[in-house]
């Protein structure tokens, strides 16, 4: 077992004294290391279902050392998949670089059943292409699935259920499933959908060329690209519609960063560990191997935007960047439609956006009434770093240097043993922001008392299922758009450590007048590139009765966000 400081499954946040959080962290690691997860696969599982189970295995195997798969009907073989694994044994071997190693014998077993009809499991997973089912009793998987995105989503929730069962008494947040939870990727309500819900609402003559640009190729971006390939690659999916989808899809990946095999690979379910080189180039090479049209731009969004052949983006931009300047650059692309994803801890959202239509644009969520200097002042107090340096660290791509971390240590904001882990990390690591991690607050002793007051030690547990769920939502929205199915209108929020709430809402545009979507020049450019906005979109956010309605579950009949 690694030490709490060095084990990549954990981060110790906010310890004011040396060793502050190490004792509960050791308990967490010990609990994970002595857990074995058994995965049972139904005999009638089809290829798409088995690939969804494989995704679950790649995630849970990054958290617990003991994983066994019972799939007698499949005879151990796996269908073609993103990870290029030929069998369950091969899959577990391929993810070995990111698997924990322990000499502790397993003392508890959690069994997760995919489509298992007998009451022999602790967690049961069902669903299909669009339906998501999670239960504490036997449920079935749909047959004849094509891409199994609903099963992928259910599998991510099952990862959280395992962690809840293993770590809840140590402070792991979450809601344990009782009975059956049913939802879907079509309208996200708490119900199952059938063929009557899959009516094409945007008829098209064949498939138009769907230009999709991924701005940001981090844990969410890589997950979304892998799942999009699972649905659209003719080498991974043998359905009749796949060839048409593959021919229609054009992927552009934009990211200047490189894969770092030593920096929390547990958040990247699409990776096997050890990947190096430019993120965009590596992902595009894989997409091309799978028969998809793709190109890479190893640069930042602003540079790509100013050097591409034409203004705007006549397609969909998928944004998963999470910095102030990065989101501003995404908004300035003036894409016809933007699909944004945001992650904070185990909470996430996916949101469709246009520009200046009365609803939130790609930058509205990042607008603050307080000036940037006020934000920098707060960060300076939290970290012990002077305000001018904080302002520099808030820029896109900026990372902590050794003197920055030394100042934080001297100010008592972080223990000395965290120094090496924080050098070259973003400033967010000093202000208790966890990305695709579940924050645990120890529930016993003095640490528990501190946690109750909000001042105690915090232990962040890597949660790869968060990135995979966000990627599933993105891939589902893109596939629905290409198939002419109704897309979410407009924003889906959920906490992967909890249970789906069944709510879709339409956030209004920034009301301060300071967001760039209020810019007259940009509005004229947008209108010139794509035409006038549909009448149904203009001014709705100013209607108080409409505002109230936007907060209830809603499904757009014609997906107006993508029309025009």
């Amino acid at each position: 077992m690694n030490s709490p400081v060095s084990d990549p499954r954990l981060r110790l946040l906010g310890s004011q004294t040396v060793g502050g959080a190490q004792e509960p962290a050791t308990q967490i690691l010990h609990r994970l290391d002595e857990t074995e997860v058994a995965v049972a696969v139904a005999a009638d599982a089809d290829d798409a279902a088995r690939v969804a189970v494989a995704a679950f295995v790649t995630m849970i195997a990054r958290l617990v050392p003991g994983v066994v798969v019972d799939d007698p009907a499949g005879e151990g073989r796996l269908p073609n998949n993103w990870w290029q694994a030929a069998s369950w044994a091969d899959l577990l071997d391929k993810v070995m670089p990111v698997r924990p190693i322990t000499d502790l014998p397993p003392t508890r077993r959690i069994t997760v059943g995919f489509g298992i009809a007998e009451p022999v499991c602790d967690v049961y997973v069902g669903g299909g292409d669009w339906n998501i089912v999670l239960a504490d009793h036997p449920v079935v998987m749909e047959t004849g699935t094509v891409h199994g995105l609903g099963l992928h989503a259910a599998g991510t929730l099952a990862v959280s259920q395992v962690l809840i069962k293993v770590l809840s008494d140590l402070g792991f947040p979450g809601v344990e499933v009782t009975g059956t939870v049913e939802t879907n990727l079509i309208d996200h309500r708490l119900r199952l959908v059938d063929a009557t819900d899959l009516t094409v609402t945007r008829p098209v003559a064949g498939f138009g060329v769907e230009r999709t640009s991924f701005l940001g190729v981090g844990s969410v971006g890589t997950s979304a690209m892998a799942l999009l390939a699972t649905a659209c690659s003719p080498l991974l999916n043998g359905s009749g519609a796949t060839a048409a989808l593959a021919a229609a899809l054009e992927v552009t990946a934009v990211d200047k960063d490189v894969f770092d095999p030593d920096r929390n690979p547990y958040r990247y379910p699409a990776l096997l560990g050890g990947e190096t080189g430019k993120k965009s180039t590596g992902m595009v090479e894989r997409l091309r191997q799978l028969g998809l049209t793709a190109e890479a731009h190893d640069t930042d969004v602003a540079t790509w935007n100013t050097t591409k052949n034409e203004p705007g983006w006549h397609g969909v931009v998928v944004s998963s960047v999470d910095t102030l300047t990065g989101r501003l650059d995404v908004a300035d692309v003036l894409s016809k439609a933007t699909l944004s994803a945001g992650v904070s801890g185990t909470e996430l959202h996916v949101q469709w956006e246009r520009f200046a239509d009365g609803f939130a644009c790609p930058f509205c969520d990042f607008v603050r009434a307080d000036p940037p200097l006020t934000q920098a002042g707060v960060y300076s107090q939290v970290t012990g770093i002077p305000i001018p340096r904080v302002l520099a660290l808030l820029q896109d791509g900026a990372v902590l240097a050794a003197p920055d971390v030394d100042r934080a240590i001297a100010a008592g904001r972080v223990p000395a043993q965290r120094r090496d882990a924080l050098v070259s990390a973003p400033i967010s690591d000093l202000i208790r922001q966890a990305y695709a991690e579940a924050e645990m607050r120890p529930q016993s002793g003095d640490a528990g008392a501190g946690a109750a007051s909000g001042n105690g030690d915090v232990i962040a547990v890597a949660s790869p299922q968060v990135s995979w769920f966000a990627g599933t939502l993105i891939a589902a929205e893109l596939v629905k758009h290409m198939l002419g199915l109704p897309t979410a209108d407009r924003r889906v929020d959920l906490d992967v450590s909890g249970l789906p709430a069944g709510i879709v809402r339409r956030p209004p545009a920034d009301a301060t007048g300071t967001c760039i979507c209020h810019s007259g020049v940009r509005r004229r450019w947008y209108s010139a590139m794509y035409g006038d906005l549909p009448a149904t979109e203009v001014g709705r956010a100013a209607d108080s009765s409409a505002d109230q309605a936007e907060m209830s579950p809603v499904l757009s009949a014609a997906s107006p966000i993508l029309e025009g």
Side-chain angles (χ1 to χ4, degrees):
M1 181 177 70
N2 293 328
S3 73
V5 173
S6 62
D7 196 304
R9 289 174 291 176
L10 301 185
R11 285 194 306 140
L12 310 186
L13 305 176
S15 290
Q16 300 296 315
T17 59
V18 174
Q22 291 195 42
E23 182 176 350
T26 300
Q27 289 181 309
I28 292 168
L29 291 176
H30 191 280
R31 189 73 64 83
L32 291 172
D33 286 344
E34 65 180 10
T35 298
E36 180 180 76
V37 175
V39 185
V41 185
D44 60 351
D46 52 30
D47 284 356
R50 281 191 167 83
V51 172
V53 179
F56 171 84
V57 170
T58 66
M59 289 182 281
I60 202 66
R62 297 164 199 256
L63 299 171
V64 301
V67 179
V68 294
V69 181
D70 180 22
D71 181 21
E75 299 180 345
R77 297 189 300 269
L78 274 174
N80 291 342
N81 56 82
W82 172 263
W83 303 274
Q84 305 180 73
S87 65
W88 296 111
D90 187 28
L91 179 66
L92 290 169
D93 184 62
K94 285 182 178 294
V95 298
M96 189 60 71
V98 293
R99 294 186 64 184
I101 299 175
T102 184
D103 54 5
L104 294 175
T107 61
R108 68 173 50 79
R109 167 178 277 208
I110 306 295
T111 302
V112 180
F114 285 77
I116 297 299
E118 297 80 25
V120 294
C121 302
D122 299 290
V123 181
Y124 295 84
V125 177
D129 283 335
W130 305 113
N131 286 322
I132 303 168
V133 181
L134 191 69
D136 62 358
H137 59 84
V139 294
V140 300
M141 292 190 296
E142 298 168 9
T143 57
T145 52
V146 176
H147 47 70
L149 290 176
L151 284 169
H152 281 273
T156 63
L157 297 177
V159 174
S160 292
Q161 289 297 309
V162 171
L163 292 176
I164 291 169
K165 289 181 178 297
V166 174
L167 300 175
S168 61
D169 63 321
L170 298 180
F172 188 87
V175 179
E176 189 168 358
V177 63
T178 56
T180 305
V181 174
E182 297 176 339
T183 186
N184 68 86
L185 296 174
I186 297 295
D187 63 10
H188 300 280
R189 297 186 185 185
L190 300 180
R191 68 183 185 97
L192 301 182
V193 295
D194 55 28
T196 61
D197 298 291
L198 305 180
T199 304
V200 174
T201 59
R202 185 175 52 86
V204 291
F207 290 86
V209 174
E210 303 298 347
R211 302 177 68 201
T212 300
S213 180
F214 286 86
L215 306 186
V217 189
S219 61
V220 172
T222 54
S223 297
M225 294 170 79
L227 285 154
L228 187 61
T230 297
C232 299
S233 166
L235 298 183
L236 299 184
N237 190 319
S239 68
T242 299
L245 289 172
L249 187 62
E250 292 183 359
V251 173
T252 298
V254 181
D255 199 312
K256 67 178 182 179
D257 292 335
V258 298
F259 289 122
D260 184 350
D262 297 322
R263 180 169 167 73
N264 204 2
Y266 287 63
R267 292 192 286 109
Y268 285 71
L271 305 185
L272 296 172
E275 287 86 352
T276 58
K278 293 289 187 178
K279 291 180 177 180
S280 54
T281 296
M283 291 301 292
V284 162
E285 288 176 352
R286 180 71 178 122
L287 293 180
R288 288 175 175 171
Q289 292 171 359
L290 295 172
L292 298 175
T293 301
E295 64 178 24
H297 295 269
D298 300 325
T299 186
D300 57 79
V301 174
T303 301
W304 170 76
N305 189 29
T306 57
T307 56
K308 53 187 171 60
N309 294 331
E310 58 184 8
W313 185 256
H314 292 260
V316 176
V317 156
V318 177
S319 168
S320 58
V321 298
D322 59 354
T323 64
L324 187 70
T325 55
R327 284 296 290 264
L328 180 59
D329 291 338
V330 169
D332 246 352
V333 173
L334 294 181
S335 174
K336 182 178 180 181
T338 300
L339 186 58
S340 294
V343 171
S344 178
T346 59
E347 298 175 354
L348 64 89
H349 75 266
V350 170
Q351 174 174 291
W352 282 108
E353 299 148 342
R354 288 187 75 162
F355 195 81
D357 60 354
F359 300 102
C361 81
F363 193 63
C364 280
D365 288 343
F366 280 65
V367 173
R368 298 289 185 270
D370 293 331
L373 190 60
T374 302
Q375 181 187 27
V378 173
Y379 287 178
S380 178
Q381 292 179 359
V382 170
T383 64
I385 300 173
I387 289 178
R389 178 57 181 159
V390 168
L391 289 169
L393 288 169
L394 289 173
Q395 301 305 306
D396 189 27
V399 296
L400 295 163
D404 301 321
V405 182
D406 291 338
R407 288 192 184 97
I409 293 172
R413 302 301 194 268
V414 66
Q417 70 266 25
R418 291 289 294 154
R419 184 181 187 277
D420 292 344
L422 286 169
V423 173
S424 299
I427 192 173
S428 61
D429 280 12
L430 280 177
I431 55 177
R432 294 191 180 187
Q433 291 186 359
Y435 188 90
E437 296 170 330
E439 289 191 357
M440 295 180 59
R441 298 180 183 273
Q443 299 298 304
S444 60
D446 295 338
S453 65
N455 297 318
D457 296 322
V458 179
I459 303 169
V461 180
S463 299
Q465 71 273 23
V466 179
S467 301
W468 199 251
F469 200 111
T472 301
L473 292 178
I474 291 170
E477 291 301 309
L478 294 173
V479 171
K480 288 191 297 181
H481 174 41
M482 288 189 286
L483 293 175
L485 296 172
T487 54
D489 184 17
R490 302 199 173 196
R491 175 170 169 140
V492 179
D493 293 89
L494 59 88
D495 188 333
V496 179
S497 69
L499 300 174
I503 299 294
V504 177
R505 60 192 182 96
R506 305 183 109 198
D510 161 58
T512 69
T514 58
C515 183
I516 65 170
C517 62
H518 294 280
S519 163
V521 172
R522 290 179 174 88
R523 289 184 178 216
R524 289 192 292 273
W525 265 103
Y526 190 90
S527 178
M529 288 188 292
Y530 311 117
D532 293 332
L533 292 171
T536 56
E537 292 288 304
V538 178
R540 288 191 58 187
D543 184 335
S544 59
S545 62
D547 283 350
Q548 186 175 3
E550 310 309 351
M551 303 307 294
S552 60
V554 63
L555 176 67
S556 168
S559 301
I561 187 69
L562 296 170
E563 296 300 317

